[in-house]
Amino acid sequence: MKPMTEQEIRAAFVNCTKGEAKRLSIPRDLADRPWGDLDYLGWRDPQAPSRAYLVTVLDGRPTALALRCPGPASWQARRSMCSMCLTAHTGGVSLMVAPKAGKARQQGNSVGAYICSDLACSLYVRGKKDAGAGSRPQESLTLEEKIERTVANVAAFLAKVTA
């Protein structure tokens, strides 16, 4: 993923108003992020732990989602698997819910997925971050194929939100 600016990120949100996108908390360390290892940029809002955000490039343009999720204190201690990167965590996967875009959002419709609570799927897939013993299933896929699968899973989630 290529580095993005705060303005590009704010303009990319598809499931919140422009005013909400203007007020949300963007990470201050954008320049320090490992952009070359990211399939998407994800972060939790430090001022509102029940909010998270995901930004990726879809069809050549930045696309961002606002997500609702349980706060860190409510992460369950059972082992769960992320539906994006297929990493299993003990207490490190949360149900993240995205309001649908457009008219469906106005009607209160939303889409959910179980995602790594720290939104670091790209780093888990590449082995740059470790979720502990037994967190990654043994697979015959190459690293590139695992990355492609993660990108496809994120794109499928985005497609459900924007449908």
Side-chain angles (χ1 to χ4, degrees):
M1 187 171 181
K2 72 175 184 82
M4 298 176 79
T5 66
E6 179 178 339
Q7 293 77 20
E8 288 174 313
I9 292 170
R10 288 190 192 282
F13 280 91
V14 295
N15 68 338
C16 64
T17 66
K18 289 182 181 183
E20 289 168 334
K22 185 177 179 181
R23 291 185 301 271
L24 60 85
S25 181
I26 302 285
R28 297 181 195 275
D29 65 343
L30 288 176
D32 299 330
R33 296 287 171 134
W35 292 100
D37 290 325
L38 296 180
D39 304 312
Y40 69 85
L41 172 65
W43 72 97
R44 292 181 77 111
D45 189 331
Q47 284 84 35
S50 65
R51 291 186 189 152
Y53 307 99
L54 184 152
V55 184
T56 191
V57 175
L58 190 62
D59 297 328
R61 62 187 175 109
T63 305
L65 297 178
L67 305 165
R68 294 184 313 262
C69 52
S74 64
W75 293 350
Q76 297 182 0
R78 67 179 183 179
R79 194 162 188 80
S80 301
M81 183 176 281
C82 173
S83 62
M84 301 296 161
C85 66
L86 305 185
T87 299
H89 300 267
T90 300
V93 173
S94 298
L95 175 61
M96 301 216 181
V97 179
K100 290 193 79 164
K103 193 170 193 164
R105 178 181 186 266
Q106 295 169 350
Q107 296 170 345
N109 296 331
S110 60
V111 177
Y114 287 95
I115 304 174
C116 292
S117 299
D118 60 3
L119 295 142
C121 296
S122 303
L123 302 179
Y124 290 118
V125 168
R126 289 167 174 78
K128 307 268 180 177
K129 196 166 183 179
D130 186 19
S135 62
R136 300 281 313 154
Q138 291 293 335
E139 298 181 288
S140 60
L141 298 177
T142 66
L143 176 59
E144 282 303 315
E145 291 169 328
K146 291 176 188 178
I147 291 168
E148 287 173 15
R149 177 181 59 203
T150 300
V151 169
N153 290 341
V154 171
F157 181 60
L158 277 148
K160 288 177 187 175
V161 172
T162 58

